[in-house]
Amino acid sequence: MNWKRIFYLLVVMAVAGVSALAGVVTGGILVYHNLQDRLDSLAAASSDQIVQAVPASNTSEQVATLNSTDIQTTITQAVQDVGPAVVTVVGTIPGQRTFFGYTGDSTVSGSGVFISEEGYILTNNHVVEGAQDLSVILADGSQQAATLVGTDIYADLAVLKIEGEIPAVATLGNSDVLNPGETVIAIGSPLGDFKNTVTVGVISATGRSIDTGEGYQIENLIQTDAAINSGNSGGPLVNLAGEVVGINTLVVRNTGSGTVAEGLGFSIPANTAQAVAEQIIQQGYFSRPYMGISWQIITPRIAARYRLPVEWGIYVTEVAANGPASAAGIEVGDIITRIGQTTLDETHSYINALFAYQPGDQVTLELVRDGETLEMQVTLAESRVQ
């Protein structure tokens, strides 16, 4: 065997293999550079299209996450803006002397909110009704004496005033643009002890009416499921813009049929509250139309019991001397069934129909007298609700 010849053959084969490998590598490098140049050129020519080609799903996920975070941040910011303007209202109800002795004084409490730099506070009438020695506890825990400027019992609103430095003033928003499902925040002092408590819910509905059991309804209320308890009355209902859109006034717990309800809170719209408050601040009272009669509600049950000729209306029990009704010729025993274009029935009470007008308006009344239907013109006077 010629070992030398075999050795030379192996050397030649090795050199050829290395050359081939080098060629492959070199070719690969050249191809890579050419491809990279092509890609760079393509990127430069269509960079706008490449940027726009970011998957929409990623963008949506980012927006959804940001919106969720924004909502939480907005709620926190709204509370920080309005919270310092919220107060706890406290007062004393004088004791009453009864057959069993003296009942002793009692303490009442509710909530309120500063609406002006002059120290005016908006709250509910039922919070301060009959109370003396009124004061407010500010968000920082300090307490100041308060005076009652005026009230409107039919809207369940009252205005108080304090002297001295005001910690913050809330902004009143436009309650007419509220929509069901909109997030809202209630701030107040439930039970009088848990001051400046914050609860969150939504607008459940607008334009609700609640029968007070006193012959009239509180109309156009905002319904919310934000938790409202005793002591929240008079506190603000706030939107995500940090504006007060309502004044919390009541919660329905029992439907009357024994069913216990949850999440049925109601607030007075901010537009109503602002109109009432401005008039009270300007003149110390809220002006309502006045007819000058005392009356008794007629319902189908009462009509059947006393064999009255109508199922709905009001029975005139007294006519004030020199009042609008007296001047119009209305008499005791008349049954008023319509005021203007509003027929009195289960959903249209006398007070609410009357309050659709202003002092000085001339209104046509429909009434029944001795079985005969009559129409009379009445010019309404002014009643100073204080």
Side-chain angles (χ1 to χ4, degrees), residues 209 215-217 219 297-298 312-314 336-339 341-354:
S209 297
Y216 65 95
Q217 295 179 323
E219 295 186 328
I297 297 175
I298 297 174
W312 295 100
I314 60 165
I336 298 175
T337 57
R338 179 168 56 82
I339 299 177
Q341 299 300 314
T342 303
T343 299
L344 305 186
D345 55 27
E346 185 177 11
T347 58
H348 299 89
S349 68
Y350 164 72
I351 287 292
N352 291 103
L354 180 65

Side-chain angles (χ1 to χ4, degrees), residues 68-190:
S68 177
T69 302
D70 286 345
I71 289 174
Q72 297 302 320
T73 303
T74 303
I75 291 174
T76 303
Q77 187 61 53
V79 172
Q80 291 175 351
D81 291 342
V82 181
V86 179
V87 301
T88 302
V89 179
V90 294
T92 302
I93 301 293
Q96 302 293 323
R97 189 172 299 279
T98 67
F99 179 80
F100 300 100
Y102 188 70
T103 59
D105 296 343
S106 59
T107 301
V108 294
S109 68
S111 303
V113 60
F114 282 107
I115 58 171
S116 82
E117 295 285 356
E118 288 73 33
Y120 290 104
I121 299 168
L122 196 55
T123 186
N124 286 146
N125 171 72
H126 77 259
V127 170
V128 300
E129 189 172 24
Q132 299 178 355
D133 301 324
L134 291 168
S135 63
V136 296
I137 302 173
L138 307 184
D140 64 3
S142 61
Q143 187 165 343
Q144 294 193 37
T147 57
L148 179 62
V149 179
T151 66
D152 178 12
I153 61 174
Y154 297 109
D156 194 22
L157 291 168
V159 176
L160 307 178
K161 190 177 188 300
I162 70 166
E163 303 296 335
E165 186 176 352
I166 308 304
V169 175
T171 300
L172 296 178
N174 182 5
S175 55
D176 287 344
V177 299
L178 292 174
N179 293 306
E182 186 173 338
T183 300
V184 285
I185 309 153
I187 309 177
S189 302

Side-chain angles (χ1 to χ4, degrees), residues 320-384:
N322 303 318
S326 175
I330 294 175
E331 302 174 356
V332 172
D334 286 347
I335 299 175
I336 298 175
T337 57
R338 179 168 56 82
I339 299 177
Q341 299 300 314
T342 303
T343 299
L344 305 186
D345 55 27
E346 185 177 11
T347 58
H348 299 89
S349 68
Y350 164 72
I351 287 292
N352 291 103
L354 180 65
F355 286 176
Y357 298 92
Q358 300 295 322
D361 287 350
Q362 188 176 70
V363 182
T364 300
L365 303 181
E366 181 181 88
L367 57 86
V368 177
R369 176 186 295 170
D370 298 328
E372 182 180 358
T373 300
L374 307 173
E375 285 191 351
M376 291 188 174
Q377 300 289 324
V378 177
T379 300
L380 302 175
E382 180 184 58
S383 172
R384 299 188 175 189

Side-chain angles (χ1 to χ4, degrees), residues 269-304:
N271 289 0
T272 299
Q274 184 172 21
V276 171
E278 286 178 352
Q279 195 174 132
I280 290 176
I281 291 170
Q282 290 172 3
Q283 57 193 31
Y285 64 92
F286 185 70
S287 177
R288 294 282 191 179
Y290 168 73
M291 192 180 295
I293 61 172
S294 297
W295 44 273
Q296 175 65 48
I297 297 175
I298 297 174
T299 64
R301 179 179 296 180
I302 292 175

